[in-house]
Every structure is written in C-alpha cells, then in structure tokens.
Amino acid sequence: MDINVAFIHQLLLWIEANIEQKLILETVAQRAGYSQWHLQRLFRSYTGIALGTYIRERKLTASVIALLTDNTPLMHIALQFGFDSQQTYCRTFRRMFNLPPGAFRRKYQHSLPHIDGPASLLMLRSHGYPVR
C-alpha cells in the first residue's frame, strides 16, 4: 500500500474520531505534521476533494443524525459540531441541503434510515435527502 494512501486513511480516521471538535486546517495540518499547503495538496490528490470541504461536509452529514434523532436545540447541535454560531451552522446547512436545519428536521425527522456507522453524502442522497 502506498504510504500516502495509508496516511490519508489514518487522517480520515482521526477526522472521524474528532468530528465534533472544531477542526481548522491549521490544527489538522499540525496534527498531521505537514504544512497546510502540502496537506491540502496531498489530500486533494488522493481524494479528489479539498480537505476543508471534506471536513465541513462530514460535520454537516454527522449533524443530520443529531438533528433527526431527538429535539436537541439547533444551537447545541451547532456548537457540538464545532460551528461558531447557530447562524453559521444554519447558513452552511442550508447551502448543502437546500433547507434550513429546522425545516429539514420537520420534514425528515420520522424518515431517518437505519445507519450502521457515520452518515455519508451517498447514503443521504440514496434516501432522497436534498443534498446538493
């Protein structure tokens, strides 16, 4: 196995384990032992997606579970997944899912599919959730 593939795999596992933390590129790069520029270039070359985009989309898809499984206030979900404010979370969520989180919750709360492991964009799309 290519050493970079193994590195990216370990980085993805670390991101998953820390998905509820505030993950900024500088912190992730320091943890990985690379400069931000090099880490972003390496990540994109192996995954086809920017590291910042990946982290943001994973945080949002992970937040869907919290959003749909109970009535946790949006502010708590926003803070739980490392967003600076409820407004930032709602704006980012709306860009990705084409609905604000409250409307998403009302529309889909009783239709959450069984999930074994982290929610993914592919899983959400396959179940008809409005993901861009």
Side-chain angles (χ1 to χ4, degrees):
M1 177 184 279
D2 181 345
I3 193 164
N4 288 329
V5 171
F7 168 77
I8 295 297
H9 178 74
Q10 289 301 313
L11 181 63
L12 291 172
L13 292 174
W14 182 83
I15 290 169
E16 283 302 316
N18 293 281
I19 201 68
E20 292 185 7
Q21 305 300 314
K22 185 170 183 151
L23 297 176
I24 56 175
L25 292 178
E26 180 180 349
T27 305
V28 176
Q30 285 176 346
R31 189 270 177 211
Y34 287 106
S35 70
Q36 289 181 50
W37 180 86
H38 183 72
L39 180 60
Q40 290 179 83
R41 188 179 64 75
L42 183 64
F43 191 86
R44 184 184 290 271
S45 72
Y46 280 87
T47 65
I49 187 171
L51 179 57
T53 301
Y54 175 80
I55 291 170
R56 181 178 54 255
E57 290 182 354
R58 272 301 298 127
K59 285 180 169 292
L60 288 169
T61 56
S63 79
V64 166
I65 305 303
L67 188 66
L68 298 180
T69 55
D70 59 38
N71 288 317
T72 303
L74 294 179
M75 179 63 168
H76 291 137
I77 293 172
L79 296 175
Q80 176 184 351
F81 287 94
F83 289 90
D84 292 329
S85 67
Q86 180 177 332
Q87 293 80 11
T88 301
Y89 172 66
C90 291
R91 183 177 53 250
T92 308
F93 190 96
R94 183 181 195 123
R95 266 190 246 135
M96 184 165 171
F97 292 103
N98 300 313
L99 285 171
F104 190 95
R105 174 184 270 165
R106 286 187 297 279
K107 185 172 183 177
Y108 295 105
Q109 191 163 33
H110 302 291
S111 64
L112 183 66
H114 177 72
I115 298 170
D116 290 325
S120 70
L121 290 176
L122 182 60
M123 182 279 302
L124 291 170
R125 283 186 187 115
S126 71
H127 285 85
Y129 290 91
V131 181
R132 67 166 167 86

